[in-house]
Amino acid sequence: VHEVIESLRSPGQQISRIIDVAEIDFDIDLMIPLGLITNELITNSMKYAFQGREEGKLRLSLQPNGREYRLAVSDDGPGFSLEDHATETSFGHHLLQTLSDQLDAKVSIQSGSDGTLYALDFAANQL
């Protein structure tokens, strides 16, 4: 998380990080798509939520959620239109969809003037 933020932030830009990740042992076949998804979501926040801003807040959480697990990445940016997102055709959008499908994850997105939240609920035994 730190390396992605540092490589994409503007000089002098302050992005605070709140990281809440449980100690969980996942199989490598699960860790690779989770890592790629996390990288893409953080990159999107850096590109869109914090563009032109001197500071911002990014949250990353990976926690057990009943019988499943939840990966959540959120920011405090201006948000975006969910209608426009539904018709998105970018490589990043396809990457997120493909990797989420690979995990058989349920994806939920909330976006508004107070930020954006991507959450993926998945079962570790799916793979």
Side-chain angles (χ1 to χ4, degrees):
V1 174
H2 176 77
E3 295 300 323
V4 175
I5 290 172
E6 288 304 306
S7 69
L8 296 173
R9 73 176 181 85
S10 301
Q13 189 179 43
Q14 298 296 315
I15 306 299
S16 63
R17 305 154 185 98
I18 300 165
I19 300 175
D20 182 23
V21 177
E23 288 192 35
I24 306 168
D25 289 324
F26 286 134
D27 183 276
I28 189 71
D29 292 329
L30 181 63
M31 287 302 301
I32 291 172
L34 280 178
L36 292 170
I37 289 168
T38 301
N39 184 73
E40 181 64 21
L41 293 175
I42 293 169
T43 299
N44 285 348
S45 287
M46 294 303 297
K47 285 171 57 177
Y48 303 112
F50 306 133
Q51 184 178 29
R53 296 175 57 197
E54 291 183 23
E55 58 185 40
K57 187 181 299 182
L58 183 120
R59 295 176 189 262
L60 169 70
S61 174
L62 177 60
Q63 295 292 325
N65 186 25
R67 292 184 184 176
E68 297 184 324
Y69 297 89
R70 172 170 274 205
L71 171 70
V73 176
S74 64
D75 60 57
D76 65 347
F80 58 84
S81 163
L82 292 176
E83 290 85 24
D84 291 345
H85 181 72
T87 60
E88 179 67 45
T89 60
S90 70
F91 174 76
H93 181 78
H94 287 295
L95 177 67
L96 288 171
Q97 186 63 50
T98 300
L99 293 170
S100 297
D101 289 347
Q102 182 179 338
L103 297 176
D104 196 24
K106 179 185 172 204
V107 179
S108 58
I109 305 167
Q110 298 173 2
S111 190
S113 60
D114 59 345
T116 299
L117 165 68
Y118 279 87
L120 286 84
D121 294 298
F122 61 94
N125 60 0
Q126 293 284 330
L127 301 178

